[in-house]
Amino acid sequence: MQLASAQLSEHLKRGLKSLYTLHGDEPLLVQEFADALRSAAREQGYTERTVHTVAGAHFDWSEVLASGGSLSLFADKQIVEIRIPSGKPGKDGSAALQQIAERAQGDDSTLTLILLPRLDSITTKGAWFGALESFGTTVKFDAIDRRSLPPWIAQRLQIQGQRVAAGEEGQRTLQFFADRVEGNLLAAHQEIQKLGLLYPAQEGAVLSFEQVEQAVLNVARYDVFKLSEAVLGGQTLRVQRMIDGLQSEGESEVLVHWALAEDIRSMKRVKDAIRAGRPMPMALRENRVWGIKEKLFERVLPQIGDTTLANLLHAAHKVDGIVKGLKQPDWPVDGWQALHRLARMVCEQCTAPAAAPRAARPSAGGAKT
């Protein structure tokens, strides 16, 4: 059975199940959900807890299987926690997890909690995960995207009795807060708690922009693939901030360039496929464009012409040389400055009106396809 994380309180009112599987790429949300389960279990008499961390392909699962079938002399109920940081239990682990899932049925003395990272679609189709899903309750924790971050922050502030001003001023405060903590939810949680200590909740009081600006540290962490989505979304200011953040974090210039260039190449391949008679959905699937990028491509591609794509490809080719140490005429010598310029060129095209696409200015030497 699948359960949404927001449904936890209602779920707990109906009683605990014997098997839970938590998986996702937001450690804070997984930790909070697991803590709530443990707290509810302790209230119901689950006084003993054992934790097993699966490390490596040669992990001995016999101890895990044994702990689920035995209680100490001093406990009537127990929690057995299995952590699989890699998300890959291996052949022996797959068989053991299926056995654990089947054995959990009707077991009111053992609560089994399995913690996993984000799983790909192939892994979730495996027999062991299918058994956990069929015989127990699974909860998936998706990342909080940038658009959802301001309301998430507002909700967390409200929980500790704080709020920002209403209207545009409050939105500006939340957007500033989100910019400071983007991609780092655990740090965002800590900054929210800090505000609770610095400015204890008082009836009718609101957090001002100045208070948030002075208190919240810049702890944002950026992801190269999130950068790609921001570029395709035409979010120029955010893109410039993300590239600066990636540079300060020591990310490879080559990797950042690859992400930008691969999107340009993908747009060219999809465009060529459409010209050859393929419907856009088919062209996108054939070129492995899906999810958020699929929607972005559907919006952007009709407004980008062939000349523009050729110029962007040529620009990407030049930046490829720059980040590898080559000098290019009319381009910055510094690789990060060149990446800023390339990203800005793509952003400009992704925000151009559909009826009047702009051609990217060709770099010296003409276009290269």
Side-chain angles (χ1 to χ4, degrees):
M1 179 184 77
Q2 295 184 4
L3 177 70
S5 58
Q7 299 173 326
L8 175 62
S9 58
E10 289 299 320
H11 172 78
L12 292 178
K13 291 177 183 178
R14 297 192 294 269
L16 284 169
K17 303 296 182 181
S18 57
L19 172 63
Y20 289 90
T21 303
L22 313 184
H23 62 106
D25 51 7
E26 285 293 2
L28 171 69
L29 302 183
V30 174
Q31 176 184 316
E32 289 180 339
F33 197 103
D35 286 344
L37 285 177
R38 296 185 194 106
S39 177
R42 284 193 294 271
E43 290 177 359
Q44 296 182 31
Y46 291 82
T47 55
E48 188 173 285
R49 175 178 171 231
T50 57
V51 179
H52 306 274
T53 300
V54 178
H58 303 292
F59 178 78
D60 185 5
W61 284 87
S62 60
E63 184 178 348
V64 181
L65 293 169
S67 65
S70 61
L71 288 166
S72 74
L73 296 175
F74 306 100
D76 295 325
K77 295 181 178 181
Q78 65 173 340
I79 301 172
V80 175
E81 197 166 308
I82 306 170
R83 302 176 180 179
I84 312 176
S86 68
K88 307 290 183 182
K91 183 178 180 181
D92 292 341
S94 175
L97 288 172
Q98 291 179 67
Q99 184 176 340
I100 289 168
E102 293 174 4
R103 195 170 65 187
Q105 293 301 291
D107 186 352
D108 57 2
S109 63
T110 300
L111 185 153
T112 303
L113 177 60
I114 301 174
L115 304 177
L116 296 157
R118 181 176 64 88
L119 304 176
D120 56 37
S121 58
I122 296 176
T123 303
T124 57
K125 291 181 175 65
W128 65 270
F129 188 83
L132 295 176
E133 201 166 38
S134 297
F135 294 107
T137 301
T138 62
V139 189
K140 179 182 178 182
F141 297 87
D142 292 319
I144 305 295
D145 61 27
R146 177 59 180 78
R147 185 178 301 178
S148 304
L149 195 51
W152 183 87
I153 293 170
Q155 181 186 39
R156 291 294 173 120
L157 289 172
Q158 185 178 15
I159 291 173
Q160 61 187 31
Q162 294 179 302
R163 62 187 177 90
V164 297
E168 186 175 340
E169 182 184 349
Q171 288 304 310
R172 174 170 169 253
T173 303
L174 292 173
Q175 292 294 340
F176 173 83
F177 200 144
D179 287 343
R180 288 289 184 97
V181 299
E182 179 180 357
N184 198 347
L185 206 64
L186 183 58
H189 173 65
Q190 293 170 341
E191 293 300 310
I192 291 169
Q193 289 182 315
K194 184 207 295 183
L195 286 172
L197 295 173
L198 291 174
Y199 309 108
Q202 297 179 2
E203 187 175 354
V206 299
L207 288 169
S208 68
F209 177 85
E210 289 73 21
Q211 287 174 323
V212 172
E213 183 181 31
Q214 292 172 11
V216 177
L217 297 175
N218 188 353
V219 291
R221 294 293 180 268
Y222 297 112
D223 181 277
V224 170
F225 302 103
K226 293 295 183 183
L227 169 67
S228 173
E229 294 172 6
V231 169
L232 292 171
Q235 301 170 359
T236 306
L237 294 178
R238 183 183 175 212
V239 166
Q240 302 306 311
R241 187 170 61 247
M242 293 178 81
I243 293 177
D244 286 339
L246 289 167
Q247 180 182 5
S248 66
E249 291 169 20
E251 187 58 85
S252 165
E253 297 173 26
V254 174
L255 179 59
V256 175
H257 171 265
W258 175 86
L260 297 173
E262 182 59 22
D263 282 340
I264 297 171
R265 289 191 291 264
S266 294
M267 286 193 286
K268 179 68 166 61
R269 289 193 293 265
V270 173
K271 197 86 169 178
D272 290 344
I274 293 172
R275 188 182 300 103
R278 290 278 201 281
M280 183 179 287
M282 182 183 296
L284 290 169
R285 284 197 303 272
E286 289 175 349
N287 286 280
R288 303 174 66 83
V289 178
W290 43 63
I292 295 176
K293 280 195 177 182
E294 181 179 8
K295 296 177 181 178
L296 292 169
F297 270 50
E298 288 175 346
R299 181 184 66 80
V300 167
L301 278 176
Q303 67 191 38
I304 299 182
D306 294 337
T307 301
T308 296
L309 275 175
N311 290 335
L312 290 175
L313 280 169
H314 185 56
H317 174 70
K318 283 185 171 291
V319 178
D320 180 55
I322 293 171
V323 298
K324 294 175 181 176
L326 300 178
K327 294 183 179 180
Q328 300 288 355
D330 303 324
W331 276 83
V333 174
D334 179 76
W336 287 103
Q337 292 180 15
L339 289 168
H340 270 289
R341 180 171 169 182
L342 177 62
R344 188 165 57 250
M345 290 172 65
V346 181
C347 274
E348 288 174 354
Q349 301 309 314
C350 293
T351 55
R358 294 182 299 230
R361 180 178 299 174
S363 305
K368 179 178 179 179
T369 59

